[in-house]
Amino acid sequence: MQNHRWLRTPDGTAPRISFGADYNPDQWPREVWDDDVRLMKKAGVDVVSVAIFSWAKLQPNADTWDFAWLDELIDLMHDNGIGVDLATATASPPPWLTMAHPEVLPVTAEGNTLSQGARQHWRPTSPVFRRHALTLVEKLAERYGSHPGIVAWHVNNELGCHNAYDYSDDAARAFRAWLAARYDTIEGLNHAWGTAFWSQAYGSFEEVLPPRLAASFPNPTQQLDFLRFSSDALTDHLVAEREILTRITPDIPVTTNFMIVGDTRHADYAAMAREIDFVSNDHYVTQDRDELAFSAAITSGVARHRPWFLMEHSTSAVNWQPVNRPKRSGELVRDSLTHVAHGADAVCYFQWRQSEAGAEKYHSAMVPHGGEDTRLFRDVVGLGGILQGLGDVVGSDREPAEVAILFDWHSWWGSELDSHPTELLRYRREALEWWTALVDAGVRVDVVPTDADLAGYRMVVAPVLYSVPAALRDRLEAYATGGGHLVTTYFSGIVDENDHVWLGGYPGAFRELLGVRVEEFRPLYEGEGVALSNGASGSVWSEPVDVVADDVEILASYEHDELGAAVTRRPVGSGSAAYVSTRLGVVGLARLVPELLAGAGVAPELPEPLRGSVELASRRGAAGRFDFYINRTDEPVSLDGVAGAFLHGSAELAARGVAVVRA
Ligand code: GAL
């Protein structure tokens, strides 16, 4: 995303927040398409993603192509003012391909080959798959590249959703090439992987394998490199498709839909985002109240705060959680507008019409099984109207916050490897807890990758920043000494990029900056707590923290004989560096965050009575600043005193409601 390029829009149309869905007309008889168009118009739909899983229909066998139905469909959409985000259709290879070439099927760490019959059963590194996929991409680009109805290309679908980790021989070959490029010599690899341990030294790259099922813990750096390689292999596939598209259709922007949601962690999306024209994301709600906003903020961070495309979410229930509950009243609008608040300029669903057959027939859609005369479809029509009223927001960036959370896929992968002090540590949960605590305190928060420019932030929180190469350590040191307020936590600054421990005591990379030293970690058992002097309680982790610099201030201590300081802060240069040595959780962080914010000179933007119940998120563009007040509770909240013109909602903010105010 060197240069942000948004959807192509027909000249002369007013800017609007695009609204639509994955559209799978190939699952339906032709006559249904006309009804689809009628209902799309009723709902204000202006964009659909088409052909995501249509490979078998477009190419029924190796030598036969059938584009007639897609020609007709794209014309139909275009004639009715509905743009097509055209998928490259490579997500799910057809049975003829996998029967003829079983060598494209992924292999698990245990050596099991995944069968056809579901979807995404292809190896990211298979040359055979790549050749067939690129032929299809080329055909589509040549056929539709000049069609005015195509607003964007949609590469594949959720790259790596089911096939991120492939341990096949193809993967082994590609992994070796990736390692040779990274380390140059086998000595370089042996050093990085620490193969002097357990007699693992390699004589050549040919001896190296992916971390297949082994007798004990596979080499940690091998595991980490395999996670990095697997992410890069998906990105490599994306780039291969993109290169064909941009060669043949340079005017059509290219995207692919990310999965920044919950514990999905197979791709470094900060890196992948560099390869597309605009970021798209798919998000499905979990039971955690703030997970949606947090994911949307991460998405905005990897999109460098430019507008992004919400490619999929659900109107109501999904079909893949253990128990799938419908959304409650208000949630459909609130969920969508929360994404818009964090930078989405398109609001789309999986999917347009609920399937009558197949594995997703119990997944909600814009048009449910009950049809047009349903509460759900009326809500969809209502949302379409709301989005049309927010045209001024379009094109605006996320208004920078004063506080940022660093989010790093490499630390996520590294901190949760096996053979560690505890299995209970959860990287993303720690980051999300900081998010919730900061939002509760009434501030807006950005979530940014580690290469983001931090200069504008008064406070940067780096939770469990486990993997810290020297360059990142230096940047964070310069940030703090230059006037920023850095906060980091337990299990941060522990290793370098090779997963080698920074020696001399923990938290190695940050030890000098923080003025503390830890000799031994003391993780806690499940359910075990440790009390702190400020009334908070720690879980998961504790440490005997030695204060080794005179100017370290102890903000909280452990109420435990063998432990001392728990939370420290030290003035450094014109800024400060704080350390939190245990998991405080949202409740414990609530006792600490106001003090940290005050020390960093950050004043809450939300009026006191709204803190805790309301989240504020803001965007700014040519038409001014837009404040989104998101009711996180199930009770109405009064926004009396909020200044500005209400574009949506009112000062009586409904339970689960959102108000949009032009400030
Ligand atoms: C996504 C996928 C869609 C659909 C959806 C259901 O992972 O891209 O095709 O399966 O989930 O929630």
Short mmCIF file of all heavy atoms in Angstrom, two decimals, residues 22 24 52-53 119 154 157-158 161-162 257 259 282 284 312-314 317-320 350-351 360 363, ligand 1:
data_model
loop_
_atom_site.label_atom_id
_atom_site.label_comp_id
_atom_site.label_asym_id
_atom_site.label_seq_id
_atom_site.Cartn_x
_atom_site.Cartn_y
_atom_site.Cartn_z
N ASP A 22 -20.57 -10.30 -0.10
CA ASP A 22 -20.18 -11.39 -1.01
C ASP A 22 -21.48 -11.82 -1.69
O ASP A 22 -22.50 -12.04 -1.02
CB ASP A 22 -19.65 -12.60 -0.23
CG ASP A 22 -18.25 -12.38 0.32
OD1 ASP A 22 -17.74 -11.25 0.24
OD2 ASP A 22 -17.69 -13.35 0.86
N ASN A 24 -23.10 -14.61 -4.28
CA ASN A 24 -22.84 -15.92 -4.90
C ASN A 24 -24.00 -16.34 -5.79
O ASN A 24 -24.69 -17.33 -5.52
CB ASN A 24 -22.61 -16.96 -3.79
CG ASN A 24 -21.37 -16.62 -2.96
OD1 ASN A 24 -20.27 -16.49 -3.50
ND2 ASN A 24 -21.55 -16.43 -1.68
N ILE A 52 -15.96 -15.46 -5.78
CA ILE A 52 -14.92 -15.88 -4.84
C ILE A 52 -14.69 -17.39 -4.90
O ILE A 52 -13.56 -17.86 -4.89
CB ILE A 52 -15.28 -15.43 -3.40
CG1 ILE A 52 -15.29 -13.91 -3.33
CG2 ILE A 52 -14.30 -16.01 -2.39
CD1 ILE A 52 -15.84 -13.34 -2.03
N PHE A 53 -15.79 -18.14 -4.96
CA PHE A 53 -15.67 -19.61 -4.97
C PHE A 53 -16.20 -20.19 -6.28
O PHE A 53 -16.85 -21.22 -6.30
CB PHE A 53 -16.40 -20.20 -3.76
CG PHE A 53 -15.80 -19.77 -2.45
CD1 PHE A 53 -16.44 -18.85 -1.63
CD2 PHE A 53 -14.56 -20.24 -2.05
CE1 PHE A 53 -15.87 -18.44 -0.43
CE2 PHE A 53 -13.98 -19.84 -0.86
CZ PHE A 53 -14.64 -18.93 -0.04
N ARG A 119 -12.91 -26.46 1.25
CA ARG A 119 -12.39 -25.37 0.44
C ARG A 119 -10.95 -25.06 0.84
O ARG A 119 -10.47 -25.52 1.87
CB ARG A 119 -13.25 -24.12 0.58
CG ARG A 119 -13.21 -23.53 1.97
CD ARG A 119 -13.94 -22.20 2.04
NE ARG A 119 -13.96 -21.73 3.42
CZ ARG A 119 -14.61 -20.65 3.84
NH1 ARG A 119 -15.31 -19.93 2.98
NH2 ARG A 119 -14.58 -20.29 5.09
N HIS A 154 -10.23 -8.62 -6.16
CA HIS A 154 -10.25 -9.26 -4.84
C HIS A 154 -9.43 -10.54 -4.98
O HIS A 154 -9.89 -11.53 -5.53
CB HIS A 154 -11.73 -9.56 -4.55
CG HIS A 154 -12.06 -10.29 -3.30
ND1 HIS A 154 -12.92 -9.77 -2.38
CD2 HIS A 154 -11.73 -11.51 -2.84
CE1 HIS A 154 -13.09 -10.64 -1.40
NE2 HIS A 154 -12.37 -11.70 -1.65
N ASN A 157 -9.11 -15.36 -1.40
CA ASN A 157 -10.01 -15.05 -0.29
C ASN A 157 -9.38 -15.47 1.02
O ASN A 157 -8.92 -16.60 1.15
CB ASN A 157 -11.34 -15.80 -0.44
CG ASN A 157 -12.39 -15.29 0.52
OD1 ASN A 157 -12.77 -14.12 0.47
ND2 ASN A 157 -12.84 -16.14 1.42
N GLU A 158 -9.34 -14.54 1.96
CA GLU A 158 -8.79 -14.84 3.29
C GLU A 158 -7.60 -15.79 3.17
O GLU A 158 -7.63 -16.93 3.64
CB GLU A 158 -9.87 -15.46 4.19
CG GLU A 158 -10.93 -14.47 4.60
CD GLU A 158 -11.90 -15.02 5.64
OE1 GLU A 158 -11.94 -16.25 5.82
OE2 GLU A 158 -12.61 -14.24 6.26
N CYS A 161 -6.68 -18.90 5.49
CA CYS A 161 -7.74 -19.19 6.46
C CYS A 161 -7.70 -20.66 6.89
O CYS A 161 -7.78 -20.98 8.07
CB CYS A 161 -9.09 -18.85 5.84
SG CYS A 161 -10.49 -19.31 6.87
N HIS A 162 -7.54 -21.56 5.92
CA HIS A 162 -7.49 -22.99 6.28
C HIS A 162 -6.16 -23.64 5.89
O HIS A 162 -5.93 -24.79 6.26
CB HIS A 162 -8.60 -23.76 5.57
CG HIS A 162 -9.97 -23.17 5.74
ND1 HIS A 162 -10.63 -23.12 6.95
CD2 HIS A 162 -10.81 -22.59 4.85
CE1 HIS A 162 -11.81 -22.55 6.79
NE2 HIS A 162 -11.94 -22.21 5.53
N ASN A 257 -8.78 -9.81 1.26
CA ASN A 257 -9.41 -9.63 2.57
C ASN A 257 -8.61 -10.30 3.68
O ASN A 257 -8.39 -11.50 3.67
CB ASN A 257 -10.88 -10.10 2.58
CG ASN A 257 -11.11 -11.43 1.88
OD1 ASN A 257 -10.24 -11.93 1.16
ND2 ASN A 257 -12.27 -12.01 2.10
N MET A 259 -7.81 -11.18 7.84
CA MET A 259 -8.61 -11.74 8.94
C MET A 259 -8.06 -11.21 10.27
O MET A 259 -7.53 -11.97 11.08
CB MET A 259 -8.52 -13.26 8.94
CG MET A 259 -8.97 -13.90 7.65
SD MET A 259 -8.68 -15.67 7.71
CE MET A 259 -9.92 -16.16 8.90
N ASP A 282 -12.00 -8.88 7.20
CA ASP A 282 -13.19 -9.64 7.55
C ASP A 282 -13.23 -9.74 9.06
O ASP A 282 -12.22 -10.08 9.69
CB ASP A 282 -13.12 -11.06 6.98
CG ASP A 282 -13.13 -11.07 5.45
OD1 ASP A 282 -13.29 -10.00 4.85
OD2 ASP A 282 -12.97 -12.16 4.89
N TYR A 284 -15.65 -11.05 12.50
CA TYR A 284 -16.83 -11.69 13.09
C TYR A 284 -16.76 -11.53 14.60
O TYR A 284 -15.70 -11.73 15.19
CB TYR A 284 -16.90 -13.16 12.68
CG TYR A 284 -17.19 -13.28 11.20
CD1 TYR A 284 -16.16 -13.34 10.27
CD2 TYR A 284 -18.49 -13.22 10.74
CE1 TYR A 284 -16.44 -13.38 8.91
CE2 TYR A 284 -18.77 -13.25 9.38
CZ TYR A 284 -17.75 -13.33 8.47
OH TYR A 284 -18.03 -13.35 7.13
N GLU A 312 -16.09 -8.39 5.00
CA GLU A 312 -17.10 -9.32 5.52
C GLU A 312 -17.34 -9.05 6.99
O GLU A 312 -16.39 -8.82 7.75
CB GLU A 312 -16.60 -10.77 5.45
CG GLU A 312 -16.42 -11.36 4.10
CD GLU A 312 -15.93 -12.81 4.20
OE1 GLU A 312 -16.17 -13.47 5.23
OE2 GLU A 312 -15.31 -13.27 3.24
N HIS A 313 -18.56 -9.07 7.40
CA HIS A 313 -18.95 -9.33 8.79
C HIS A 313 -20.33 -9.97 8.70
O HIS A 313 -20.76 -10.34 7.60
CB HIS A 313 -18.83 -8.12 9.70
CG HIS A 313 -19.72 -6.94 9.45
ND1 HIS A 313 -20.08 -6.51 8.19
CD2 HIS A 313 -20.34 -6.08 10.30
CE1 HIS A 313 -20.85 -5.43 8.31
NE2 HIS A 313 -21.03 -5.17 9.58
N SER A 314 -21.00 -10.19 9.80
CA SER A 314 -22.26 -10.92 9.71
C SER A 314 -23.42 -10.03 10.12
O SER A 314 -23.29 -9.20 11.02
CB SER A 314 -22.22 -12.17 10.58
OG SER A 314 -22.20 -11.81 11.93
N ALA A 317 -26.26 -14.27 13.19
CA ALA A 317 -25.46 -15.42 13.64
C ALA A 317 -24.48 -15.91 12.57
O ALA A 317 -24.72 -15.75 11.38
CB ALA A 317 -26.40 -16.57 14.01
N VAL A 318 -23.39 -16.53 13.03
CA VAL A 318 -22.53 -17.29 12.12
C VAL A 318 -22.86 -18.78 12.32
O VAL A 318 -23.79 -19.13 13.05
CB VAL A 318 -21.04 -16.99 12.37
CG1 VAL A 318 -20.76 -15.53 12.13
CG2 VAL A 318 -20.60 -17.42 13.76
N ASN A 319 -22.12 -19.64 11.67
CA ASN A 319 -22.42 -21.07 11.76
C ASN A 319 -21.24 -21.88 12.25
O ASN A 319 -21.27 -23.10 12.21
CB ASN A 319 -22.81 -21.61 10.37
CG ASN A 319 -21.62 -21.55 9.44
OD1 ASN A 319 -20.98 -20.51 9.30
ND2 ASN A 319 -21.29 -22.67 8.82
N TRP A 320 -20.18 -21.19 12.70
CA TRP A 320 -18.95 -21.93 12.99
C TRP A 320 -18.46 -21.76 14.42
O TRP A 320 -17.38 -22.22 14.76
CB TRP A 320 -17.86 -21.55 11.99
CG TRP A 320 -17.76 -20.09 11.67
CD1 TRP A 320 -18.30 -19.46 10.59
CD2 TRP A 320 -17.14 -19.06 12.46
NE1 TRP A 320 -18.04 -18.11 10.64
CE2 TRP A 320 -17.33 -17.84 11.77
CE3 TRP A 320 -16.46 -19.06 13.67
CZ2 TRP A 320 -16.86 -16.62 12.28
CZ3 TRP A 320 -15.98 -17.84 14.17
CH2 TRP A 320 -16.18 -16.65 13.46
N PHE A 350 -20.66 -11.10 4.71
CA PHE A 350 -20.83 -12.42 4.16
C PHE A 350 -22.24 -12.82 4.59
O PHE A 350 -22.48 -12.94 5.79
CB PHE A 350 -19.84 -13.44 4.69
CG PHE A 350 -20.18 -14.79 4.14
CD1 PHE A 350 -19.76 -15.16 2.88
CD2 PHE A 350 -20.98 -15.68 4.86
CE1 PHE A 350 -20.13 -16.39 2.34
CE2 PHE A 350 -21.34 -16.90 4.31
CZ PHE A 350 -20.93 -17.24 3.06
N GLN A 351 -23.14 -13.00 3.72
CA GLN A 351 -23.16 -12.85 2.30
C GLN A 351 -24.47 -12.18 1.93
O GLN A 351 -25.27 -11.84 2.80
CB GLN A 351 -23.01 -14.23 1.62
CG GLN A 351 -24.16 -15.18 1.95
CD GLN A 351 -24.07 -16.50 1.16
OE1 GLN A 351 -23.58 -16.57 0.05
NE2 GLN A 351 -24.55 -17.56 1.77
N GLU A 360 -22.74 -23.45 4.78
CA GLU A 360 -23.01 -22.15 5.39
C GLU A 360 -24.48 -21.77 5.34
O GLU A 360 -24.82 -20.59 5.45
CB GLU A 360 -22.10 -21.10 4.75
CG GLU A 360 -20.65 -21.39 5.12
CD GLU A 360 -19.65 -20.38 4.62
OE1 GLU A 360 -19.85 -19.86 3.51
OE2 GLU A 360 -18.66 -20.14 5.33
N HIS A 363 -25.66 -19.75 8.25
CA HIS A 363 -24.95 -18.48 8.49
C HIS A 363 -25.86 -17.35 8.01
O HIS A 363 -26.41 -17.42 6.91
CB HIS A 363 -23.65 -18.49 7.70
CG HIS A 363 -22.69 -17.39 8.04
ND1 HIS A 363 -22.96 -16.05 7.83
CD2 HIS A 363 -21.44 -17.44 8.57
CE1 HIS A 363 -21.91 -15.34 8.21
NE2 HIS A 363 -20.98 -16.15 8.67
C1 GAL B 1 -15.12 -16.22 6.00
C2 GAL B 1 -15.11 -16.56 4.52
C3 GAL B 1 -16.49 -16.54 3.92
C4 GAL B 1 -17.46 -17.23 4.83
C5 GAL B 1 -17.45 -16.55 6.17
C6 GAL B 1 -18.45 -17.13 7.15
O1 GAL B 1 -14.06 -16.86 6.64
O2 GAL B 1 -14.30 -15.68 3.80
O3 GAL B 1 -16.44 -17.18 2.67
O4 GAL B 1 -17.08 -18.57 4.97
O5 GAL B 1 -16.18 -16.68 6.73
O6 GAL B 1 -18.39 -16.49 8.39
#
